[in-house]
Amino acid sequence: MAKKKVTGEDGKTYVMKEKKPFYKKVWFWILVVIVVVAIGGSLGGGDKDKADSSSKDSSSAKTEATSSAAKESTVESSAAAENDSKATYKDRTLTAPDGVLKITGFERGTDYEGKPMFYVFFDLTNNTKEAQNVQIQYMSFAQAKQNTGATTENLEMAILMDNPYREKADLLQKDINPGATVSGVYYYNFADENQPVTFEFTDTMFSFDGPIATEDIQIP
């Protein structure tokens, strides 16, 4: 600390001590260092928060994009599965996930009481992974009915005394193996032999979506 001599009005000499400016004192610079460090830490923390926020936003965007892609994939897969599950009918051939039924011909005859009836000849392919009863699978794919004018009647299976197509008819009681095809025959009684027969084709026996196709056929 500097000393300064001053002569007073009384003629005496006085020694005065000069104080250092505050900015030259140690405690001032210590305080400055502390403030600078504090401000730097605050700024650094803000940058980190921004980085963390940016990272979270980026991660959220990636998650949303992944979720959106997964949803689109699921929708596409569902649509593909739905298309695969639909049956089609063309040229008297029903093609369904469980099998293929092709109507190959018709023929008239009489049942054991002499009443008019008709045969339906068909080729049946089993597309399932298990053996299926031929009659049940045929009935799952095709049903026959007639409009008699006043009523519409589901046609019943005819009872035959002497079946000229016994070998094909016997297949109805047998099982068809996966991937195999058999040529069989089914037979119905007419409700009205002068009216066409309406065939309804479905992909399952108890279809809630209605028939895949309907065709009116005049039995020759």
Side-chain angles (χ1 to χ4, degrees), residues 70-166:
K71 288 180 180 178
E72 291 178 0
S73 177
T74 301
V75 170
E76 291 175 358
S77 298
S78 299
E82 183 178 353
N83 290 332
D84 290 343
S85 68
K86 289 183 178 179
T88 60
Y89 179 77
K90 183 179 180 181
D91 298 330
R92 295 184 179 174
T93 301
L94 174 73
T95 302
D98 288 346
V100 178
L101 174 66
K102 181 178 181 179
I103 305 300
T104 58
F106 304 94
E107 185 178 320
R108 288 178 180 252
T110 55
D111 67 4
Y112 77 105
E113 292 181 332
K115 295 180 180 180
M117 51 78 61
F118 64 96
Y119 300 94
V120 179
F121 300 95
F122 62 85
D123 291 337
L124 178 65
T125 301
N126 177 16
N127 284 346
T128 71
K129 296 180 180 180
E130 298 179 355
Q132 302 292 331
N133 177 264
V134 172
Q135 182 172 351
I136 291 177
Q137 195 165 40
Y138 170 86
M139 294 174 65
S140 297
F141 291 155
Q143 300 84 43
K145 59 180 63 177
Q146 278 189 298
N147 185 339
T148 63
T151 62
T152 297
E153 302 180 24
N154 293 319
L155 302 187
E156 298 180 355
M157 189 177 189
I159 300 176
L160 305 178
M161 183 66 69
D162 184 18
N163 189 342
Y165 304 104
R166 173 61 59 189

